[in-house]
Amino acid sequence: MSALVLRSAGLLGVSALVAVMANCASNDEATAPPTQADAAIPAMTVDDADTQDVNDASDAGCEGNTVDCPLVTSISCDDFEWCPEKTNHPQGLGLSSVWGSSANDVWVAGAFGSVLHWDGKAWAAVPAPTHASLRAIWGAGPGDIWVVSAPDQIFRSNGFVNGTAQWTSAVPVADMTGQTAVTTNAIWGSSPDKVWVGGAATYAQHANGRWYESGWQTTQIDGGPGWATGIDGSTFTTIRGIWGSGPDDVWIVGNKGQNGLPFGARIGGTNSVNGGPGVQEIDTQCLGALYGIWGSKAGDLWAVGDYGTIRHYTDESGQWIPVSSPTQENLRGVWGSSESDIWAVGEHATLIHWDGATWRTSSAAFAPGNRPSLTGVWGSGPNDVWAVGSGVVIHFTGPKANAQGATP
């Protein structure tokens, strides 16, 4: 395997093992529903609203022959569990989300409309027709790919064909004219016509009125595609993650209300505010924001968030159970191939793995001082896992004996 040229004799691993039970306040501020007068304020662009670290490439590595970086050492990726990929993507443009239909069909989305595709041999740039930051990517299959940025910035592709991808604008969730710009952070579906999106709450117009909402499912309206009346945004203010085992078992995580407290909830029933979907909230037993959610099956879910927070839900317990975490870094994404093979990623190059009994730290072959935030993770199997973040794509191809920076 090719070697990486790194500066300094020191090597970077991810955070040392620190067992914590995360239970601390979120830095996010929830937003109350704007008044009709507020809605008349000229809107910002979506890019103006980009305050998340999807655009952050400030955690750059060493530059030049300085005191902090005195040596050049050739290090093989064989010494680390994760290896950076050469994608030719500009390092200054953050990457936010990764999804694939197979080992040879992997998609990555990020800032400035960036979309990358892996066909098993090479990466290709296949940007969406927007300069906005794309927050999440998902597909119903290799021929139906979705990316989201904002309620009026949703794009769809028929897949990677003849070396490229063509994108079309999907029906917007809401008309953002005169509204404060907000982000759409999450997407998940059980089929091409059963797709959920969620993000920061905004006003959306439906046949039964104009409502303040934060999550929506596709539906048929007058014989064409549209969006059904959504989740009440005055309570569930910001949705950050969506996962389901099927169309009737869909879960969301995010922040709620004026105080911005986290929630982890199952969608079901009808709410009394706008007649849209109801939400069965289950106590997360934490105060830190939750960002990522994934399940191995119905009734077995994991959620991760700020300050290394990890929560595990099972139908048997009926609640979110705190799980000891090996990091205090903010976690941003979670994915697994089974209930005993789960990865979570986060800020400052944090990579941790669950083996069915314990979470442990992992390592990536980054230069000393280069600790990019990681925001998304997905794999086709236990030995083919991808993670993305601040201008980087890294790849895990299986355990490596005596890997540096990893705990056993």
Side-chain angles (χ1 to χ4, degrees):
M1 186 176 296
S2 62
L4 297 181
V5 177
L6 306 182
R7 292 188 180 274
S8 173
L11 302 174
L12 172 68
V14 285
S15 306
L17 182 64
V18 182
V20 297
M21 301 293 285
N23 187 26
C24 36
S26 167
N27 290 328
D28 293 346
E29 295 183 0
T31 304
T35 63
Q36 295 298 324
D38 293 333
I41 298 174
M44 297 184 294
T45 66
V46 173
D47 285 328
D48 289 336
D50 289 341
T51 59
Q52 300 180 12
D53 62 6
V54 65
N55 287 314
D56 181 17
S58 61
D59 289 328
C62 297
E63 296 182 2
N65 186 18
T66 66
V67 173
D68 294 330
C69 308
L71 301 174
V72 177
T73 306
S74 183
I75 303 297
S76 171
C77 276
D78 289 338
D79 295 328
F80 299 86
E81 292 195 316
W82 291 76
C83 188
E85 285 280 308
K86 183 175 177 58
T87 65
N88 293 322
H89 179 73
Q91 188 177 9
L93 293 180
L95 299 170
S96 59
S97 180
V98 57
W99 175 89
S101 69
S102 70
N104 297 328
D105 183 45
V106 182
W107 298 78
V108 174
F112 210 70
S114 300
V115 182
L116 305 176
H117 179 265
W118 170 256
D119 64 1
K121 297 179 180 179
W123 287 96
V126 288
T130 181
H131 290 167
S133 290
L134 302 173
R135 304 287 171 174
I137 190 165
W138 171 85
D144 186 19
I145 312 301
W146 297 64
V147 289
V148 297
S149 173
D152 58 349
Q153 294 271 335
I154 302 173
F155 303 95
R156 197 172 181 180
S157 173
N158 62 355
F160 192 71
V161 180
N162 296 325
T164 190
Q166 302 297 322
W167 298 94
T168 58
S169 294
V171 174
V173 167
D175 180 358
M176 298 304 294
T177 304
Q179 297 201 69
T180 299
V182 297
T183 58
T184 299
N185 306 316
I187 182 169
W188 177 88
S190 59
S191 67
D193 58 352
K194 295 290 184 181
V195 180
W196 283 91
V197 299
T202 191
Y203 282 102
Q205 183 69 48
H206 303 283
N208 67 340
R210 187 169 184 259
W211 304 100
Y212 191 64
E213 302 167 339
S214 58
W216 303 266
Q217 185 182 30
T218 52
T219 190
Q220 290 290 308
I221 299 176
D222 297 328
W227 299 92
T229 304
I231 293 170
D232 173 32
S234 61
T235 300
F236 301 97
T237 313
T238 303
I239 294 173
R240 300 190 182 277
I242 307 173
W243 180 86
S245 66
D248 301 319
D249 180 45
V250 181
W251 291 72
I252 54 176
V253 295
N255 303 92
K256 62 176 185 175
Q258 296 278 359
N259 53 22
L261 289 174
F263 67 81
R266 176 190 281 130
I267 298 173
T270 302
N271 77 66
S272 59
V273 176
N274 61 3
V279 176
Q280 177 192 354
E281 188 177 356
I282 299 169
D283 185 6
T284 62
Q285 304 192 63
C286 69
L287 299 178
L290 295 176
Y291 278 74
I293 184 170
W294 174 86
S296 68
K297 59 185 177 182
D300 182 48
L301 291 89
W302 292 85
V304 299
D306 281 350
Y307 310 107
T309 298
I310 302 174
R311 295 294 181 265
H312 186 204
Y313 173 89
T314 64
D315 280 346
E316 290 75 15
S317 69
Q319 57 185 321
W320 291 103
I321 302 296
V323 178
S324 182
S325 175
T327 182
Q328 290 180 310
E329 295 286 355
N330 296 332
L331 298 173
R332 292 294 178 254
V334 59
W335 174 89
S337 69
S338 71
E339 58 191 24
S340 59
D341 177 41
I342 304 170
W343 289 94
V345 301
E347 294 180 359
H348 299 111
T350 299
L351 293 151
I352 60 175
H353 180 261
W354 172 259
D355 62 6
T358 306
W359 285 93
R360 66 168 182 86
T361 59
S362 185
S363 63
F366 293 126
N370 183 16
R371 303 181 66 204
S373 291
L374 301 173
T375 52
V377 59
W378 175 90
S380 68
N383 294 329
D384 179 41
V385 188
W386 300 88
V388 302
S390 297
V392 298
V393 176
I394 60 176
H395 194 199
F396 174 85
T397 56
K400 296 174 183 175
N402 301 316
Q404 299 188 43
T407 56

